[in-house]
Structure formats: structure tokens, C-alpha cells
Amino acid sequence: MIRLNVFVQVAGDNRAAVVAAAKELVAASLKDKGCVAYDVFESSTRPDVLMICETWQDDASLSVHQQAPHFTTLVPKIESMATMKIERFEF
């Protein structure tokens, strides 16, 4: 399995739009084949930090997800308003 922790740092004026896009991404991604878990979390200590946590069965499922219309539309939208850092773990 593959776990991605995507840290999103966003300024206050863009926060609501980034949260909305992230929630839309979560809802669509949960329907993707091979998606084990997908959620967005808000930091309780830093209002400018969110984390998208996703778990995939394998690289093939993740690759298909990364080419899906919801991914190719929403991720660039989030990236235009925030800074993203990705951590990848395999287990």
C-alpha cells in the first residue's frame, strides 16, 4: 500500500477556497478504484496548514487517480492558491 501525506500551506484569504477544493477532491477520489482512504485534515494549532492524507492499494491505482479529471483539475487549482509538500510511504 501507498500512503501520501500532502501538507498544504495556505494564506487566510485563500483558505476557504482551498478547503472547498480539497473537500471536492476527497469526495471524488474516494470513488476511485484502489482508494483505501482519502481525507483532508485541518491543523488545530496552525490555521494556515491543512493535510490531505490518502492511502492507495498500489502504484497502478495511484497512477490512474493522478490522471483522473478531478485530480488534473482540482490539484492545480489548489496549487495556484497554496504551497504543497508531499510525503510518500510504502507499507
Side-chain angles (χ1 to χ4, degrees), residues 22-64:
K23 287 181 178 181
E24 186 178 346
L25 179 63
V26 167
S29 299
L30 285 169
K31 298 173 187 173
D32 289 347
K33 184 179 179 190
C35 181
V36 176
Y38 211 106
D39 208 343
V40 61
F41 299 93
E42 300 180 51
S43 174
S44 63
T45 57
R46 292 188 55 197
D48 63 327
V49 175
L50 308 169
M51 183 179 77
I52 299 170
C53 183
E54 49 189 282
T55 305
W56 296 93
Q57 286 181 344
D58 51 37
D59 269 317
S61 299
L62 177 57
S63 180
V64 169

Side-chain angles (χ1 to χ4, degrees), residues 4-9 48-53 82-87 89:
L4 298 179
N5 294 331
V6 183
F7 295 92
V8 182
Q9 187 168 12
D48 63 327
V49 175
L50 308 169
M51 183 179 77
I52 299 170
C53 183
T83 303
M84 298 172 75
K85 177 187 169 199
I86 300 173
E87 294 178 341
F89 304 93

